[in-house]
Amino acid sequence: TLDLSSNKLNFIDDFQFKNLEELNLANNDIKHIGNKIYLPRICILDLSFNQLTHLTKSFCKNFKTLSKLKINNNKLKGIYDG
């Protein structure tokens, strides 16, 4: 488990942890998530209470082991190609 909640993070890019199963990024100011995210064993990803406006289909496909994705309290408008 890696807890990076409430750290005033603006974006996540080039983030690689091959054995990480739980990541908490809640309560930041994340507006953008880049395409260089590598978390092959992630099960729980918490992105709640950020400033995300969209997610890409490629982002969603990267997490084959994901069982829980928390994205509440963002400004999400949809999931787009990319």
Side-chain angles (χ1 to χ4, degrees):
T1 300
L2 179 58
D3 187 352
L4 295 174
S5 62
S6 303
N7 277 290
K8 299 180 183 176
L9 299 173
N10 294 321
F11 66 94
I12 300 295
D13 195 16
D14 201 10
F15 198 81
Q16 301 181 17
F17 290 94
K18 65 180 180 177
N19 293 315
L20 188 64
E21 294 182 3
E22 184 173 346
L23 176 58
N24 185 350
L25 293 167
N27 296 305
N28 280 290
D29 193 32
I30 299 171
K31 295 176 180 81
H32 174 74
I33 297 177
N35 291 326
K36 296 180 183 177
I37 307 299
Y38 182 68
L39 301 167
R41 297 187 65 194
I42 197 75
C43 295
I44 300 170
L45 179 57
D46 189 347
L47 293 166
S48 60
F49 296 94
N50 279 288
Q51 301 296 316
L52 293 170
T53 57
H54 70 279
L55 295 175
T56 63
K57 287 182 183 177
S58 62
F59 170 81
C60 297
K61 289 180 183 177
N62 282 339
F63 306 114
K64 301 197 185 305
T65 59
L66 191 65
S67 61
K68 185 183 282 189
L69 174 62
K70 297 179 183 180
I71 53 173
N72 56 301
N73 293 88
N74 277 283
K75 299 178 179 183
L76 288 172
K77 297 177 184 173
I79 297 176
Y80 302 97
D81 290 333

